């Protein structure tokens, strides 16, 4: 009797976790209005166009599809499911401005959560929880201060001094990842990774993040199956290492929170103001404590401290720590690496930028008296504080760099051509579906090819100025393809030309980006009420990139090793 019972249980589990979800998926995809839109042929019923899309940044795939099928078309996902892709600015503005009706699909949020963000971080929450978190975090981000960025320059100059006849070869991404980790650790949480001064293995939090980033999933069939059958997500590769890394992050995060809490309460009891606690975590904890019941400085925080409309639970704060270390570390390092790559490929731009940076003259600080400033700096260093002279210089430098027009053009152009995040996804959750408006009707441009003619036949003779999507339909937003779209930017869209920012074409100005003319930081037309998912730390990221470029390019010249083959890999 035991065998039939086990067989029945196995069949029940199979039905619950696989057969029923698959049947629902097939039924929804077969009834989707997207199935009648034109798009590229589906090379595989099982994985659709997903395999060829994995290498899209090196094959110019999206641009090729746009040339054939127009700016709005469908491609195929798991078991041939239609997914909408568009570079139409009006369609993008509609989807991004209604973020709570077009949230991230659950499998995207789960992937981000498993990597670093957690299920209660700003990147992964939706609806009211996201609205509340963004309202709390917004003011804190406007007050962040950068740490000194000179150590990396000094390390690279020392390496250059050891190669008097030939320039040294430097793995820019590796070094910049360590430098940006130090910056976000100090500016965000008052935590010193010391990644530049010591091996990452000496710091357990840095090691934990290294484990998490190294397990980024490559394109595998099991990855696709995990998207649609959540039970399989329990069997991810390196799962034990990931669990251990997250446990390390939580333990250190709790210690940091308790330490900050004690410092702030002690500071409050003595009615003093600390000049050191200007990091994100200190500002967040001050907001939490100001809106919660008073408690003893010695009582530790529980991981389950409750949230209010004006404060976050400890679990939420922990998720913000990992979210902003991941977002402020990996993406900024990637952006800086591609900036240096673009400058190395365009020596005339690099030379012009260096001249502009060297023309920025810095004063000595608040007093103008160098001897007085040095004396005050030494006294404050003895007290363990950043000197007033240093703070004044950093603020002066940031202001001067913000006013350097050519630097701004270079950074914008590099972020346009080499967006650290190349694409994102949304899913329609509006009950009853939605009609997404377009600025260009559905259908291919006036090109003559077999595929274009077939697409025109599928669309029909009437013009369609909107696309109908059903609840549950997926919309892909190809950030990098929008930033390089020839229809919007002109025929030289693929070239690195900072001077284009002196006067953008009308098509580029229509892109609803936070950083005018690009989607790199997502939308600039959303609101807290409708669900603005734009990058909350974009201003901090921009000034960080500018100061890094000032520190490095002003004193060093960069070349490309012509024997190196550079490709973009999507994880």
């Amino acid at each position: 009797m035991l065998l039939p019972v086990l067989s029945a249980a196995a069949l029940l589990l199979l039905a619950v976790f696989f057969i029923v979800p698959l049947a629902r998926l097939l039924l929804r995809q077969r009834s989707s209005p997207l199935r009648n839109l034109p798009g590229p042929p589906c090379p595989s019923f099982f994985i659709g166009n997903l395999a060829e899309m994995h290498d899209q940044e090196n094959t110019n795939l999206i641009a090729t599809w746009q040339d054939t099928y127009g700016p709005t078309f469908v491609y195929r996902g798991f078991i041939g499911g239609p997914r909408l892709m568009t570079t139409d600015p009006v369609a993008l503005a509609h989807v991004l401005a209604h973020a709570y009706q077009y949230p991230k699909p659950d499998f995207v949020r789960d992937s981000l959560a498993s990597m670093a963000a957690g299920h209660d971080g700003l990147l992964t929450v939706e609806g009211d929880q996201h609205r509340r978190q963004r309202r709390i975090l917004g003011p804190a981000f406007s007050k962040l201060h950068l740490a000194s960025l000179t150590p990396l320059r000094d390390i690279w100059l020392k390496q250059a001094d050891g190669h008097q006849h030939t320039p040294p070869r430097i793995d820019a991404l590796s070094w910049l990842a360590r430098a940006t980790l130090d910056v976000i650790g100090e500016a965000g949480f008052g935590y010193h990774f010391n990644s530049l001064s010591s091996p990452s293995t000496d710091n357990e939090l840095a090691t934990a993040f290294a484990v998490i980033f190294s397990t980024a999933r490559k394109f595998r069939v099991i990855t696709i199956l995990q998207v649609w059958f959540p039970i399989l997500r329990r069997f991810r590769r390196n799962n034990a290492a990931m669990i251990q890394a997250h446990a390390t992050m939580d333990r250190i995060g709790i210690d940091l929170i308790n330490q900050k809490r004690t410092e702030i309460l002690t500071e409050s009891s003595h009615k003093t103001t600390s000049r050191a606690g200007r990091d994100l975590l200190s500002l967040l904890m001050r907001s939490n404590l100001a809106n919660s019941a008073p408690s003893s400085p010695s009582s530790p925080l529980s991981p389950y401290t409750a949230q209010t409309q004006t404060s976050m639970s400890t679990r939420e704060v922990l998720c913000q720590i990992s979210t902003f270390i991941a977002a402020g570390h990996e993406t900024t390092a990637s952006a800086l690496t591609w900036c240096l790559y673009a400058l190395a490929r365009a020596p005339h731009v690099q030379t012009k930028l260096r001249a502009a940076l060297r023309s920025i003259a810095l004063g000595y600080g608040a007093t103008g008296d160098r001897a007085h400033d040095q004396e005050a700096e030494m006294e404050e260093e003895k007290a363990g504080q950043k000197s007033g002279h240093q703070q004044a210089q950093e603020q002066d430098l940031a202001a001067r760099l913000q006013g350097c027009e050519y630097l701004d053009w270079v950074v914008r152009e590099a972020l346009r051509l080499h967006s650290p995040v190349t694409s994102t996804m949304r899913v329609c959750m509006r009950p009853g579906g939605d009609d997404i408006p377009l600025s260009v009707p559905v259908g291919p441009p006036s090109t003559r090819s077999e595929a274009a003619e077939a697409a025109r036949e599928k669309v029909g003779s009437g013009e369609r100025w909107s696309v109908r999507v059903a609840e549950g339909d997926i919309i892909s937003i190809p950030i990098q393809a929008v930033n390089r779209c020839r229809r919007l930017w002109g025929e030289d869209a693929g070239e690195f030309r900072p001077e284009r920012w002196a006067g953008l074409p009308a098509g580029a100005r229509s892109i609803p980006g936070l950083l005018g003319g690009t989607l790199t930081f997502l939308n600039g037309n959303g609101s807290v009420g409708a669900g603005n998912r734009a990058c909350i730390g974009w201003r901090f990221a921009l000034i960080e990139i500018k100061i890094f470029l000032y520190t490095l390019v002003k004193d060093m010249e960069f070349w490309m090793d012509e024997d190196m083959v550079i490709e973009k890999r999507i994880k």
Side-chain angles (χ1 to χ4, degrees):
M1 288 294 294
L2 184 60
L3 187 59
V5 171
L6 287 176
S7 298
L11 287 173
L12 180 61
L13 289 173
L14 185 65
V16 169
F17 291 114
F18 294 99
I19 298 176
V20 172
L22 181 61
R24 287 177 178 170
L25 178 63
L26 284 169
L27 181 62
R28 184 180 61 77
Q29 291 184 165
R30 297 278 286 185
S31 61
S32 170
L34 295 178
R35 69 189 187 281
N36 295 319
L37 288 182
C42 180
S44 165
F45 172 76
F46 184 63
I47 59 173
N49 301 105
L50 298 179
E52 56 186 325
M53 289 184 67
H54 186 65
D55 200 33
Q56 61 182 275
E57 292 303 313
N58 300 310
T59 61
N60 213 25
L61 180 68
I62 307 302
T64 302
W65 283 350
Q66 283 188 92
D67 290 343
T68 305
Y69 305 104
T72 303
F73 54 89
V74 295
Y75 68 97
R76 302 289 168 169
F78 179 55
I79 55 174
R83 297 179 177 182
L84 182 67
M85 181 175 286
T86 183
T87 59
D88 189 300
V90 171
L92 294 169
H94 178 83
V95 171
L96 293 173
H98 298 87
Y100 295 151
Q101 296 177 350
Y102 288 91
K104 296 183 182 77
D106 67 335
F107 62 85
V108 172
R109 285 185 281 130
D110 182 77
S111 178
L112 290 171
S114 67
M115 286 299 296
H119 287 92
D120 292 302
L122 190 66
L123 278 178
T124 52
V125 296
E126 295 289 346
D128 289 340
Q129 189 178 7
H130 176 267
R131 185 183 292 112
R132 177 177 55 80
Q133 287 191 8
R134 192 171 181 100
R135 186 169 54 244
I136 294 169
L137 287 165
F141 261 96
S142 66
K143 301 174 183 177
L144 287 188
H145 286 257
L146 281 167
S148 173
L149 307 185
T150 56
L152 180 61
R153 180 201 61 185
D154 296 340
I155 291 171
W156 283 3
L157 284 174
K158 186 175 180 180
Q159 292 189 17
D161 288 342
H163 295 73
Q164 296 182 359
H165 302 293
T166 58
R169 291 180 55 175
I170 292 174
D171 183 349
L173 179 59
S174 173
W175 279 105
L176 287 168
R178 293 165 68 178
T180 54
L181 187 60
D182 284 347
V183 169
I184 195 62
E186 186 172 341
F189 314 103
Y191 185 88
H192 299 282
F193 284 99
N194 297 318
S195 295
L196 284 174
S197 58
S198 61
S200 60
T201 52
D202 291 348
N203 187 298
E204 57 180 340
L205 188 54
T207 302
F209 268 95
V211 169
I212 289 170
F213 292 137
S214 69
T215 56
R217 289 178 289 172
K218 298 179 180 179
F219 183 80
R220 302 183 183 93
V221 172
I222 187 61
T223 303
I224 300 172
L225 292 174
Q226 286 167 344
V227 165
W228 300 107
F229 305 108
I231 188 67
L232 296 177
R233 297 174 193 174
R234 301 185 180 188
F235 306 103
R236 287 173 172 151
R237 296 179 61 173
N238 303 309
N239 210 31
M242 289 281 282
I243 291 172
Q244 179 60 42
H246 278 286
T248 299
M249 289 164 53
D250 281 357
R251 175 174 52 79
I252 294 175
I254 288 287
D255 289 344
L256 280 172
I257 291 170
N258 284 320
Q259 179 183 338
K260 290 291 181 186
R261 180 174 180 269
T262 302
E263 288 176 1
I264 292 168
L265 289 174
T266 302
E267 170 189 300
S268 177
S269 66
H270 288 84
K271 296 182 179 181
T272 59
T273 302
S274 170
R275 296 175 61 183
R278 304 179 75 178
D279 55 85
L280 177 65
L281 183 57
S282 295
L283 295 166
L284 188 55
M285 290 302 297
R286 284 193 180 95
S287 174
N288 267 11
L289 291 170
N291 294 284
S292 61
S295 56
S296 167
S298 61
S299 59
L301 278 175
S302 162
Y304 307 103
T305 301
Q307 68 194 39
T308 70
Q309 286 300 309
T310 53
S311 63
M312 293 188 190
S313 69
T314 306
R315 171 53 54 188
E316 286 180 307
V317 175
L318 279 173
C319 288
Q320 308 315 329
I321 291 175
S322 55
T323 293
F324 293 122
I325 290 179
H329 155 51
E330 282 286 293
T331 55
T332 306
S334 176
L336 279 164
T337 302
W338 286 111
C339 279
L340 293 179
Y341 169 83
L343 290 170
R345 287 293 189 193
H348 64 289
V349 174
Q350 186 179 163
T351 300
K352 186 174 179 179
L353 175 63
R354 184 174 297 107
L357 296 177
R358 287 178 173 175
S359 69
I360 298 176
L362 294 178
Y364 284 126
T367 69
D369 184 338
R370 180 59 176 165
H372 177 276
D373 289 334
Q374 285 180 326
E375 184 178 344
E377 185 174 328
M378 291 175 63
E379 290 298 319
E380 288 175 312
E381 283 179 353
K382 289 178 183 177
Q385 297 177 347
K386 182 178 285 190
S387 72
H389 168 69
Q390 285 178 296
Q391 290 182 350
Q393 270 205 327
E394 289 169 4
Q395 291 170 7
D396 184 43
L397 173 60
R400 290 171 182 268
L401 292 180
Q402 292 288 61
C404 181
E405 184 178 61
Y406 197 68
L407 173 62
D408 189 60
W409 290 355
V410 167
V411 172
R412 286 172 180 262
E413 183 72 347
L415 290 174
R416 179 189 73 85
L417 270 182
H418 305 289
S419 177
V421 178
T422 59
S423 65
T424 186
M425 284 185 180
R426 297 293 184 263
V427 58
C428 177
M429 295 304 292
R430 177 177 285 182
D434 192 17
D435 291 292
I436 299 176
L438 303 172
S439 65
V440 177
V442 174
S446 56
T447 54
R448 301 189 64 84
S449 69
E450 247 181 79
E453 292 298 332
R456 270 189 282 273
E457 288 180 15
K458 193 165 189 178
V459 173
S461 57
E463 289 187 336
R464 296 171 58 180
W465 290 88
S466 66
V467 172
R468 183 69 186 169
V469 290
E471 187 176 357
D473 279 341
I474 291 175
I475 299 97
S476 287
I477 300 175
I479 296 171
Q480 187 66 88
V482 173
N483 288 352
R484 293 187 177 195
C485 179
R486 292 192 302 274
R487 188 184 76 261
L488 301 174
W489 289 93
E491 290 303 314
D492 66 346
E495 298 176 14
F496 180 66
R497 188 170 66 83
E499 287 76 11
R500 76 172 74 246
W501 289 90
L504 296 182
R509 293 198 304 272
S510 69
I511 297 172
L514 192 61
L515 183 65
T518 76
L519 273 189
T520 301
F521 294 109
L522 282 185
N523 58 311
N525 65 331
S527 66
V528 174
N532 192 330
R533 301 300 311 218
C535 175
I536 194 172
W538 70 285
R539 287 188 177 88
F540 179 80
L542 278 180
I543 191 59
E544 181 182 0
I545 290 170
K546 288 179 179 181
I547 293 178
F548 261 115
L549 289 179
Y550 170 83
T551 304
L552 298 174
V553 176
K554 179 173 66 70
D555 295 322
M556 288 179 280
E557 189 171 351
F558 294 87
W559 293 275
M560 280 296 303
D561 185 342
E562 297 300 331
D563 294 331
M564 294 289 292
V565 177
I566 307 296
E567 290 185 336
K568 290 187 177 182
R569 295 295 184 192
I570 299 175
K571 292 186 177 181

